[in-house]
Amino acid sequence: MQHVFEVVYELDCTVGEAVGAYLDVEHYMHLHKVYAPRYEALWQDGTKVAVVQTWRAGPVRFGSSCTTEYQPPACFLNYDLKPVPAWMPSIHHLIKTRTELRYYPTDDQKRTVSHLTVKLDLPWIMWPLRKMIEARLTRLKIEKDQEDVDMIARSQRIFGRGNISHYFRKDVFMLHKDAFVAHFGPSAMPKDRIA
Amino acid sequence: MLKKLPQSQLPILCPNEECDDAPDRLRLSDLSESAVKPLKTALGQLVIVLLSNGRPRAFDARCPHMGSNLVTAACVGGDIVCHWHGYRFSGESGALVANPNEAIMKTLRVPSVAFDPTIKPSYQLRERALEVEDGWVRVK
Ligand code: FES
Ligand SMILES: [Fe+2]
């Protein structure tokens, strides 16, 4: 049985700033350490990256793995969510989760819409819990985005709104950087850079 | 915080106010080797660290990597650890001493048109001269 829900709100930044923050992978384990104390990339194949996020409980590390996919300029997919270690009893054995996050400018081009669609494939026995799962995932998404929004707001105060040139320095690492620079960098078409 | 604003159709996720209520003077005895202390000065917000030799050091509170406020940084083994990306700066010199992500992201850090992993960035915290008088720490 499939339960689909959306989490949609605006962010007070440009699409380039929102995408930049998303691809700025070096902050995941530090700024979001409460949610992802350890982040490991298993492999990368073009715009797909398989990652494992784990916590430590005594001698055991547990968490989940998933495949993430970037569809430039501003769409992100997450799927193939599995528990780590695989033997661990987990909700991920029962539920198949797929998310799609899209960023696009608001109608007045001043801010960015963060539009998350979550598809849950649940066994019938878990169907009555779908709203509870939805509420929990929504809360997690907002809490984590709040940290990013605070980071973006500080960057705006320092570098100016919409200024993402700090990402373009050659020593700065981010996921899918060439695609990001092609779409949001100094030589990108202006239509890709406005928000 | 999600807020509904009159001009928008959707709720908006608003940033939290940045806290800048740092004291404008500190006692040497307020400092610790395990935490940075914020200090408000005419030069802007600073962070003060206490070295293991008992001497304090002052740096601008802005991280040279991407600008985080180092008031929330951790102090580990004499280094200042920025909470945005985990870069470690020497509490002695302010120089970047380590980027822990180089090891964590090894699989992903391959050269590309826009990224060169051989470039070693030389980020440096801006140091401010301090004096200690009657047990009080002041910026010169
Ligand atoms: S902003 Fe400080 S390490 Fe990135
Ligand atoms: Fe983030």
Side-chain angles (χ1 to χ4, degrees), chain A residues 24 26, chain B residues 63-70 81-89:
Chain A
D24 171 17
E26 287 194 336
Chain B
C63 178
H65 176 227
M66 288 197 192
S68 87
N69 190 341
L70 292 171
V81 185
C82 177
H83 86 291
W84 275 12
H85 303 94
Y87 287 25
R88 291 175 79 120
F89 299 89

Short mmCIF file of all heavy atoms in Angstrom, two decimals, chain A residues 24 26, chain B residues 63-70 81-89, ligand 1:
data_model
loop_
_atom_site.label_atom_id
_atom_site.label_comp_id
_atom_site.label_asym_id
_atom_site.label_seq_id
_atom_site.Cartn_x
_atom_site.Cartn_y
_atom_site.Cartn_z
N ASP A 24 26.87 20.92 -0.41
CA ASP A 24 28.03 21.18 0.45
C ASP A 24 28.12 20.05 1.49
O ASP A 24 27.81 20.21 2.66
CB ASP A 24 27.82 22.55 1.13
CG ASP A 24 28.85 22.83 2.21
OD1 ASP A 24 29.89 22.17 2.23
OD2 ASP A 24 28.58 23.73 3.04
N GLU A 26 30.41 18.58 3.05
CA GLU A 26 31.33 18.60 4.21
C GLU A 26 30.62 19.05 5.49
O GLU A 26 31.15 18.84 6.58
CB GLU A 26 32.52 19.52 3.92
CG GLU A 26 33.52 18.92 2.93
CD GLU A 26 34.84 19.67 2.91
OE1 GLU A 26 34.86 20.86 3.29
OE2 GLU A 26 35.85 19.08 2.50
N CYS B 63 34.67 32.35 10.83
CA CYS B 63 35.50 31.28 10.27
C CYS B 63 35.93 31.67 8.85
O CYS B 63 35.10 32.05 8.03
CB CYS B 63 34.72 29.97 10.24
SG CYS B 63 35.68 28.62 9.51
N PRO B 64 37.25 31.55 8.55
CA PRO B 64 37.72 31.95 7.22
C PRO B 64 37.30 30.99 6.11
O PRO B 64 37.45 31.31 4.94
CB PRO B 64 39.24 31.96 7.39
CG PRO B 64 39.52 31.05 8.52
CD PRO B 64 38.33 31.09 9.43
N HIS B 65 36.76 29.83 6.47
CA HIS B 65 36.34 28.90 5.42
C HIS B 65 35.07 29.39 4.74
O HIS B 65 35.10 29.81 3.60
CB HIS B 65 36.15 27.49 6.02
CG HIS B 65 35.64 26.49 5.03
ND1 HIS B 65 34.60 25.63 5.33
CD2 HIS B 65 36.00 26.22 3.74
CE1 HIS B 65 34.36 24.87 4.27
NE2 HIS B 65 35.20 25.21 3.30
N MET B 66 33.96 29.42 5.46
CA MET B 66 32.72 29.90 4.85
C MET B 66 31.95 30.82 5.77
O MET B 66 30.76 31.08 5.53
CB MET B 66 31.84 28.73 4.41
CG MET B 66 32.39 28.02 3.20
SD MET B 66 31.16 27.02 2.41
CE MET B 66 32.18 26.08 1.29
N GLY B 67 32.60 31.29 6.81
CA GLY B 67 32.00 32.39 7.56
C GLY B 67 31.17 32.06 8.79
O GLY B 67 30.49 32.93 9.33
N SER B 68 31.21 30.81 9.27
CA SER B 68 30.38 30.51 10.45
C SER B 68 30.82 31.36 11.65
O SER B 68 31.92 31.90 11.66
CB SER B 68 30.53 29.03 10.83
OG SER B 68 31.62 28.86 11.69
N ASN B 69 29.95 31.43 12.64
CA ASN B 69 30.28 32.15 13.86
C ASN B 69 30.99 31.20 14.81
O ASN B 69 30.39 30.23 15.29
CB ASN B 69 28.99 32.69 14.50
CG ASN B 69 29.30 33.64 15.63
OD1 ASN B 69 30.41 33.64 16.16
ND2 ASN B 69 28.34 34.46 15.99
N LEU B 70 32.25 31.46 15.09
CA LEU B 70 33.05 30.52 15.89
C LEU B 70 32.69 30.53 17.37
O LEU B 70 33.27 29.76 18.15
CB LEU B 70 34.54 30.82 15.70
CG LEU B 70 35.05 30.51 14.29
CD1 LEU B 70 36.47 31.01 14.10
CD2 LEU B 70 34.99 29.00 14.00
N VAL B 81 37.57 24.03 16.72
CA VAL B 81 36.90 23.20 15.72
C VAL B 81 35.59 23.84 15.32
O VAL B 81 34.66 23.94 16.12
CB VAL B 81 36.65 21.77 16.26
CG1 VAL B 81 36.07 20.88 15.17
CG2 VAL B 81 37.94 21.17 16.81
N CYS B 82 35.52 24.28 14.07
CA CYS B 82 34.34 24.98 13.58
C CYS B 82 33.17 24.00 13.46
O CYS B 82 33.33 22.88 12.98
CB CYS B 82 34.65 25.60 12.22
SG CYS B 82 33.22 26.41 11.49
N HIS B 83 31.98 24.45 13.86
CA HIS B 83 30.87 23.50 13.89
C HIS B 83 30.16 23.35 12.55
O HIS B 83 29.32 22.48 12.40
CB HIS B 83 29.89 23.83 15.02
CG HIS B 83 28.84 24.83 14.65
ND1 HIS B 83 29.13 26.14 14.41
CD2 HIS B 83 27.51 24.69 14.48
CE1 HIS B 83 28.02 26.79 14.10
NE2 HIS B 83 27.01 25.93 14.14
N TRP B 84 30.50 24.16 11.56
CA TRP B 84 29.85 23.99 10.25
C TRP B 84 30.46 22.82 9.47
O TRP B 84 29.76 21.95 8.99
CB TRP B 84 29.96 25.26 9.41
CG TRP B 84 28.89 26.28 9.69
CD1 TRP B 84 28.01 26.29 10.72
CD2 TRP B 84 28.60 27.45 8.91
NE1 TRP B 84 27.20 27.39 10.65
CE2 TRP B 84 27.54 28.12 9.55
CE3 TRP B 84 29.16 28.01 7.76
CZ2 TRP B 84 27.00 29.32 9.06
CZ3 TRP B 84 28.63 29.19 7.27
CH2 TRP B 84 27.55 29.83 7.91
N HIS B 85 31.77 22.83 9.28
CA HIS B 85 32.41 21.79 8.48
C HIS B 85 33.49 21.03 9.23
O HIS B 85 34.18 20.19 8.66
CB HIS B 85 33.02 22.39 7.21
CG HIS B 85 32.03 23.13 6.35
ND1 HIS B 85 31.84 24.49 6.46
CD2 HIS B 85 31.17 22.71 5.40
CE1 HIS B 85 30.91 24.88 5.60
NE2 HIS B 85 30.48 23.82 4.95
N GLY B 86 33.68 21.36 10.49
CA GLY B 86 34.63 20.61 11.31
C GLY B 86 36.10 20.95 11.09
O GLY B 86 36.97 20.24 11.58
N TYR B 87 36.41 22.02 10.35
CA TYR B 87 37.82 22.37 10.15
C TYR B 87 38.44 22.73 11.50
O TYR B 87 37.81 23.38 12.34
CB TYR B 87 37.95 23.57 9.19
CG TYR B 87 37.67 23.25 7.74
CD1 TYR B 87 36.86 22.19 7.36
CD2 TYR B 87 38.23 24.02 6.72
CE1 TYR B 87 36.60 21.90 6.03
CE2 TYR B 87 37.98 23.75 5.38
CZ TYR B 87 37.16 22.69 5.04
OH TYR B 87 36.91 22.43 3.72
N ARG B 88 39.71 22.33 11.65
CA ARG B 88 40.42 22.58 12.92
C ARG B 88 41.47 23.66 12.71
O ARG B 88 42.30 23.57 11.80
CB ARG B 88 41.12 21.31 13.40
CG ARG B 88 40.15 20.23 13.87
CD ARG B 88 40.91 18.98 14.21
NE ARG B 88 41.53 19.09 15.52
CZ ARG B 88 41.27 18.28 16.54
NH1 ARG B 88 40.41 17.29 16.38
NH2 ARG B 88 41.86 18.44 17.69
N PHE B 89 41.44 24.65 13.58
CA PHE B 89 42.40 25.75 13.53
C PHE B 89 43.23 25.72 14.82
O PHE B 89 42.68 25.48 15.90
CB PHE B 89 41.67 27.09 13.41
CG PHE B 89 40.84 27.20 12.16
CD1 PHE B 89 39.51 26.77 12.13
CD2 PHE B 89 41.40 27.68 10.99
CE1 PHE B 89 38.75 26.84 10.97
CE2 PHE B 89 40.65 27.77 9.82
CZ PHE B 89 39.32 27.34 9.82
S1 FES C 1 32.70 27.60 7.92
FE1 FES C 1 34.07 26.96 9.42
S2 FES C 1 34.77 25.06 8.72
FE2 FES C 1 33.44 25.74 7.17
#
